[in-house]
């Protein structure tokens, strides 16, 4: 069996530490001044503590078993059950349950950040019943191809098909946890103005001569919340996504969409002969192999068709866009050391754009243009 391991820095997860983490990271569903925001001072007052420094050491009401602590949390932040809006409580349930699951798996509430690389390799450990000794030898694989190569040397009794499927399943598990229940408020396009983003994207489509009487393939679309009123205008629409939860939500939002469970590197034949290929903020995803994803894009787009690939300028946190991207989504050594969202590398988005452009030229795309939007770089190219 896979041995249990601790992730540094070890935080043994008193209930107070969980509360402190939630407050420190501003993880709360406050939507107006009328609802009580989470602050350490207010929390300390509610818990009857002398100062905020004691919050992390608070172990909860000893009269309540751990399974009832969620109800205690709700009462702390929202009052009695009949005093808080139902939709607010439901949002809180989702966020807390994810934090609780992270603490249960790793013994570390700071992992609520859900490091992609830890989720990925832990899922592979469980699937293969193998201990990769991640603490002692952090794996350097940065994309699915490198991960498959490593597993082929590690799991000698597995054939190539089984290994690839295990990698796909591990990525699907990772994306399902991180993005399966993505809400509008989690997306900067909505939080910073969806109308402005919609105008920006439609302007790009017009500029590149895209007509809606055509076949659209949208790769890595998540639930597709940003594209309401755009994607469903295409006469034929295929949505590709690895998170089954997100894909199911997208299918409800876009009834005429043809849902496809899969990854960007290996698109099925149903996506071929596309007039328009769109992949927004997916090529920066954890473990994506840019070379293979662009090759798959080339197989999907028909001659004369258009590909639009975007790379985020940064990431959204605390109501603002922070420039640059963090390498910790694939760097296991950083994740193990607790640097879940370390100092963002400002040049990383530019480097990703450069890699994508080089791959597009290699796979016979021409008329390559780069547009800078409010939140992302758009790379558009015509298939030769």
């Amino acid at each position: 069996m896979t041995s249990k391991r601790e992730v540094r820095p070890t935080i043994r997860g008193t209930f107070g530490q969980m509360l402190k983490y939630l407050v420190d990271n501003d993880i709360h569903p406050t939507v107006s001044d009328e609802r009580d925001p989470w602050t350490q001072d207010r929390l300390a007052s509610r818990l009857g503590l002398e100062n905020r420094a004691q919050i992390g050491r608070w172990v909860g009401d000893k009269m309540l078993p751990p399974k009832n602590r969620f109800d205690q949390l709700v009462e702390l932040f929202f009052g009695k059950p009949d005093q808080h809006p139902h939709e607010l409580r439901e949002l809180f349930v989702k966020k807390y349950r994810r934090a609780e699951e992270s603490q249960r798996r790793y013994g570390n509430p700071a992992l609520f950040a859900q490091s992609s690389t830890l989720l990925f390799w832990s899922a592979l450990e469980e699937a293969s019943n193998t201990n990769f000794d991640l603490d002692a030898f952090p794996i350097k694989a940065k994309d699915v191809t490198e991960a498959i190569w490593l597993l082929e040397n590690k799991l000698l009794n597995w054939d190539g098909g089984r290994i690839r499927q295990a990698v796909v399943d591990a990525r699907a598990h990772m994306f399902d946890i991180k993005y399966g229940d993505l809400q509008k408020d989690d997306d900067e396009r909505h939080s910073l103005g969806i109308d402005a983003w919609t105008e920006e994207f439609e302007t790009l489509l017009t500029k590149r001569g895209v007509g809606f009487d055509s076949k659209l393939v949208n790769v890595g679309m998540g639930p597709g919340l940003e594209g309401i009123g755009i994607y469903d205008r295409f006469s034929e629409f295929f949505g590709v996504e690895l998170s089954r939860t997100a894909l199911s939500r997208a299918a409800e939002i876009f009834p005429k969409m043809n849902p496809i469970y899969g990854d960007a590197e290996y698109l099925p034949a149903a996506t071929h002969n596309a007039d328009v290929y769109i992949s927004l903020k997916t090529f920066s995803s954890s473990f994506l192999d840019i070379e293979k994803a662009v090759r798959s894009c080339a197989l999907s787009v028909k001659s004369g068709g258009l590909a639009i690939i975007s790379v985020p300028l940064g990431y959204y946190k605390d109501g603002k866009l922070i420039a640059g991207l963090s390498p910790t989504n694939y760097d296991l050594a950083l994740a193990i050391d607790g640097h879940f969202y370390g100092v963002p590398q400002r040049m990383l988005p530019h480097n990703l754009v450069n890699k994508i452009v080089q791959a597009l030229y290699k796979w016979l795309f021409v008329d390559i243009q780069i547009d800078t939007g409010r939140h992302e770089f758009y790379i558009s190219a015509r298939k030769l």
Side-chain angles (χ1 to χ4, degrees), residues 117 120-121 124-125 132-142 146-147 150-151 154 287 330-334 336:
T117 186
F120 178 74
W121 289 109
L124 284 173
E125 277 189 330
F132 295 150
D133 202 7
L134 301 179
D135 289 334
F137 305 102
I139 294 172
K140 301 297 184 182
K142 293 185 178 181
E146 292 179 0
L150 183 146
L151 291 174
K154 188 77 172 177
F287 299 105
Y330 55 76
D331 193 319
L332 186 61
L334 289 175
I336 287 175

Side-chain angles (χ1 to χ4, degrees), residues 18-293:
M18 178 71 79
L19 290 173
K20 186 175 186 299
Y21 177 78
L22 292 170
V23 175
D24 286 348
N25 288 273
D26 197 32
I27 300 170
H28 62 86
T30 301
V31 295
S32 76
D33 294 335
E34 297 175 359
R35 297 175 183 174
D36 198 6
W38 299 15
T39 66
Q40 291 192 9
D41 288 332
R42 290 184 183 229
L43 181 57
S45 174
R46 291 183 184 189
L47 297 175
L49 304 175
E50 294 181 1
N51 56 65
R52 65 172 64 181
Q54 296 180 346
I55 293 174
R57 297 190 295 273
W58 185 71
V59 295
D61 187 340
K62 292 183 174 58
M63 297 295 291
L64 290 175
K67 68 179 181 180
N68 291 332
R69 286 180 174 175
F70 171 72
D71 293 327
Q72 188 177 12
L73 262 179
V74 172
E75 186 169 334
L76 274 172
F77 292 119
F78 303 126
K80 299 294 183 182
D82 59 348
Q83 296 177 332
H84 54 80
H86 175 73
E87 68 276 9
L88 201 60
R89 185 183 191 279
E90 289 302 308
L91 181 58
F92 181 68
V93 168
K94 289 181 180 179
K95 291 184 178 294
Y96 177 77
R97 290 304 185 209
R98 288 170 65 181
E100 188 178 53
E101 169 65 11
S102 175
Q103 184 180 15
R104 182 189 68 76
R105 290 189 65 182
Y106 301 109
N108 187 338
L111 276 171
F112 172 78
Q114 294 293 5
S115 165
S116 297
T117 186
L118 277 169
L119 284 170
F120 178 74
W121 289 109
S122 296
L124 284 173
E125 277 189 330
E126 185 175 345
S128 63
N129 196 28
T130 303
N131 182 0
F132 295 150
D133 202 7
L134 301 179
D135 289 334
F137 305 102
I139 294 172
K140 301 297 184 182
K142 293 185 178 181
D143 60 44
V144 291
T145 303
E146 292 179 0
I148 289 172
W149 288 343
L150 183 146
L151 291 174
E152 286 176 342
N153 287 283
K154 188 77 172 177
L155 307 174
L156 299 179
N157 60 328
W158 284 33
D159 61 39
R162 186 181 179 188
I163 288 175
R164 184 184 177 279
Q165 188 59 52
V167 169
V168 170
D169 291 343
R171 287 179 77 200
H173 170 74
M174 172 185 73
F175 287 129
D176 212 42
I177 288 180
K178 290 176 69 69
Y179 306 119
D181 66 346
L182 190 72
Q183 304 297 316
K184 288 183 178 180
D185 289 345
D186 298 322
D187 187 334
E188 66 270 13
R189 291 169 291 197
H190 281 274
S191 297
L192 301 180
I194 187 60
D195 291 340
W197 182 86
T198 299
E199 180 181 359
E200 171 183 287
F201 192 68
E202 289 189 332
T203 299
L204 175 63
L205 294 178
T206 301
K207 170 187 173 183
R208 297 300 265 152
V210 173
F212 289 101
D213 185 20
S214 56
K215 177 180 178 178
L216 167 68
V217 172
N218 191 328
V219 177
M221 65 176 295
L225 297 171
E226 77 289 343
I228 297 173
I230 300 178
Y231 304 153
D232 44 357
R233 288 161 60 189
F234 284 85
S235 58
E236 197 174 4
F237 172 25
F238 290 80
V240 183
E241 175 55 47
L242 253 181
S243 166
R244 293 188 185 276
T245 302
L247 186 63
S248 177
R249 291 176 60 199
E252 293 179 359
I253 295 171
F254 305 102
K256 79 175 198 178
M257 180 188 80
N258 297 287
I260 295 178
Y261 170 73
D263 53 11
E265 291 87 349
Y266 298 94
L267 296 177
T271 66
H272 293 180
N273 205 36
D275 297 288
V276 185
Y277 170 106
I278 292 175
S279 188
L280 303 181
K281 301 198 301 181
T282 295
F283 276 58
S284 57
S285 298
S286 305
F287 299 105
L288 185 133
D289 186 325
I290 288 177
E291 178 71 23
K292 286 190 174 180

